């Protein structure tokens, strides 16, 4: 399993590259991986990255509403 620190770094890089479209980008990556028959650990890692991006988006939205 990929260490959390590595996942956080990758999620940050994805967010910096794709901005508000990061979640859509990761969903597309997950769909492509499933379609291509990628190994389960690879798909799971993409899902973990998506969860981190979604958490970031929710947290930022909560702070904007205050």
């Amino acid at each position: 399993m990929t260490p959390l620190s590595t996942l956080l770094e990758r999620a940050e890089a994805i967010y910096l590259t794709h901005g508000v479209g990061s979640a859509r980008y990761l969903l597309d990556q997950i769909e492509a991986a499933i379609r291509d028959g990628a190994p389960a650990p690879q798909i799971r890692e993409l899902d973990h990255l998506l969860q981190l991006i979604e958490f970031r988006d929710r947290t930022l939205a909560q702070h904007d509403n205050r």
Side-chain angles (χ1 to χ4, degrees):
M1 178 163 244
T2 305
L4 179 58
S5 61
T6 302
L7 288 172
L8 289 169
E9 288 174 7
R10 287 188 61 204
E12 182 67 20
I14 290 168
Y15 193 81
L16 289 173
T17 303
H18 299 281
V20 295
S22 297
R24 180 75 252 164
Y25 167 78
L26 284 166
L27 283 171
D28 292 343
Q29 293 296 308
I30 291 169
E31 290 172 0
I34 291 169
R35 222 179 9 259
D36 296 342
Q42 181 181 347
I43 296 168
R44 195 168 27 255
E45 186 170 303
L46 289 168
D47 181 60
H48 290 158
L49 290 168
L50 175 61
Q51 290 177 42
L52 288 169
I53 292 291
E54 289 175 336
F55 176 77
R56 178 188 177 127
D57 289 345
R58 282 192 310 274
T59 301
L60 289 174
Q62 285 179 344
H63 289 287
D64 286 343
N65 290 333
R66 289 183 184 180

